[in-house]
Amino acid sequence: MKIINNIKEIRKQVKDWKNDGLSVALVPTMGYLHEGHESLIKKASEDNDRVIVSIFVNPMQFGINEDLSTYPRNIDRDSDICEKNGASLIFNPSVEEMYTDEFSTFVDLNNLTSGLCGKSRPTHFRGVCTVVSKLFNIVNPDKAYFGQKDAQQLSIIKQMVIDLNFDIEIVSCAIVREADGLAKSSRNTYLSKEERQAATIINKSLKKAKSLIKGGERDSKKIINFIKNEISKEPLAKIDYISTVDNNTIKSVRTIEDGSLIAVAVFIGNTRLIDNFIYE
């Protein structure tokens, strides 16, 4: 399987595929792939003739004192995973290839980026939107695949595609979890054995909250307080946010209805983890 590092070559390859009438999918990642990424690649390979997995640790979406320098990287391991799951090639550009010294253009959204993760990471989604729009322009895929774990990001990307008239279908895929319920994340590797056990409180709390909602409780404030009390039972957990919002607009809702997103961000030790579910 090929690994391409420069923009000119990836564009030529995609053009050749499309001239042959082949459909092309993109799975954008920052590498250190796990089973969640695998599910995206598998789905993309089922739906399309060719699948490109981009592996690029995007410095623009990391804030001050965040984990850019320590973010896990292993291109050989990622290559094996991509090939095993049906990817056609990897696009693995350098930072210099993506951002020249004179780079000064950014893509940003209002409204959808102000809450949830955007509140504590104010520059994060500008970095996400900028790099994803660049990848869309470089690869020109027919479809692009994203995971539901990053629910706010998914809603933002969908809106960006509408606003900027990208002719790309965005496909969302379900959260993939460990056997004990912890959502798959590259950052799970940061957790010590004790922290890894403590992290299970996140999904346990969400599952209990989901049962409450299914049982008839619709008051957002009560659900938020319930989750807060459950997570606070774990000494190693520090809550960043617990929110109930409309999944499309990311605006807070007082009453949980069909399509409401219940989302949390929690620090376990120094590691920030996110999780969510959509009530349907």
Side-chain angles (χ1 to χ4, degrees):
M1 186 186 60
K2 292 174 66 176
I3 299 177
I4 294 178
N5 306 112
N6 70 80
I7 293 169
K8 186 176 180 180
E9 187 178 351
I10 195 79
R11 280 180 163 161
K12 182 182 183 304
Q13 178 63 83
V14 173
K15 186 177 181 180
D16 289 345
W17 284 338
K18 290 199 168 187
N19 284 341
D20 290 337
L22 302 175
S23 60
V24 179
L26 172 67
V27 181
T29 83
M30 292 206 301
Y32 212 76
L33 306 180
H34 51 68
E35 286 89 340
H37 297 114
E38 288 188 54
S39 71
L40 301 180
I41 299 168
K42 285 178 182 176
K43 176 62 175 170
S45 63
E46 290 169 2
D47 296 347
N48 302 272
D49 299 313
R50 298 290 184 269
V51 177
I52 296 171
V53 178
S54 64
I55 295 177
F56 178 63
V57 181
N58 176 33
M60 193 181 292
Q61 67 194 66
F62 288 79
I64 298 172
N65 298 323
E66 290 189 341
D67 57 340
L68 174 60
S69 62
T70 59
Y71 196 86
R73 298 163 170 86
N74 190 329
I75 188 64
D76 292 334
R77 174 181 173 277
D78 289 345
S79 297
D80 291 340
I81 290 172
C82 287
E83 188 165 20
K84 182 180 71 174
N85 288 281
S88 307
L89 63 81
I90 292 172
F91 179 46
N92 180 221
S94 65
V95 173
E96 295 74 22
E97 183 75 7
M98 294 294 281
Y99 302 120
T100 63
D101 291 339
E102 297 79 23
F103 189 88
S104 56
T105 302
F106 303 92
V107 179
D108 206 351
L109 272 74
N110 296 322
N111 301 324
L112 276 73
T113 61
S114 59
L116 302 186
C117 291
K119 189 173 183 179
S120 57
R121 306 180 73 191
T123 63
H124 172 70
F125 287 117
R126 184 175 79 161
V128 170
C129 290
T130 300
V131 76
V132 171
S133 64
K134 282 177 68 66
L135 289 169
F136 285 175
N137 279 321
I138 292 165
V139 175
N140 189 27
D142 300 294
K143 297 180 180 180
Y145 291 72
F146 295 84
Q148 181 62 43
K149 181 176 76 72
D150 298 292
Q152 183 179 18
Q153 172 180 279
L154 180 57
S155 295
I156 288 167
I157 295 300
K158 287 180 177 179
Q159 189 63 49
M160 183 183 76
V161 165
I162 293 170
D163 291 349
L164 299 184
N165 303 108
F166 284 110
D167 187 19
I168 298 170
E169 179 184 345
I170 303 301
V171 181
S172 61
C173 298
I175 297 173
V176 176
R177 299 185 180 277
E178 304 280 1
D180 58 11
L182 182 65
K184 295 280 187 179
S185 171
S186 300
R187 288 187 170 93
N188 290 350
T189 59
Y190 298 159
L191 300 170
S192 67
K193 185 176 181 180
E194 184 182 12
E195 290 170 340
R196 176 64 184 76
Q197 177 59 38
T200 61
I201 192 66
I202 301 172
N203 185 53
K204 288 176 182 176
S205 301
L206 290 179
K207 285 179 71 175
K208 290 179 181 179
K210 192 172 187 178
S211 294
L212 278 181
I213 297 169
K214 286 185 175 181
E217 182 57 73
R218 296 289 188 274
D219 188 299
S220 292
K221 194 171 183 179
K222 290 181 179 179
I223 292 298
I224 289 171
N225 286 335
F226 174 82
I227 297 171
K228 181 180 179 180
N229 291 334
E230 288 294 310
I231 293 177
S232 296
K233 294 176 183 178
E234 173 50 62
L236 295 179
K238 179 183 177 183
I239 296 168
D240 182 1
Y241 68 75
I242 304 168
S243 296
T244 56
V245 300
D246 180 277
N247 186 43
N248 295 315
T249 65
I250 314 298
K251 291 183 178 179
S252 295
V253 295
R254 293 183 179 180
T255 303
I256 294 171
E257 300 174 345
D258 189 45
S260 292
L261 171 70
I262 294 81
V264 302
V266 180
F267 284 94
I268 302 294
N270 294 320
T271 304
R272 185 177 181 275
L273 302 175
I274 61 173
D275 204 344
N276 67 79
F277 69 87
I278 298 172
Y279 175 66
E280 295 176 318

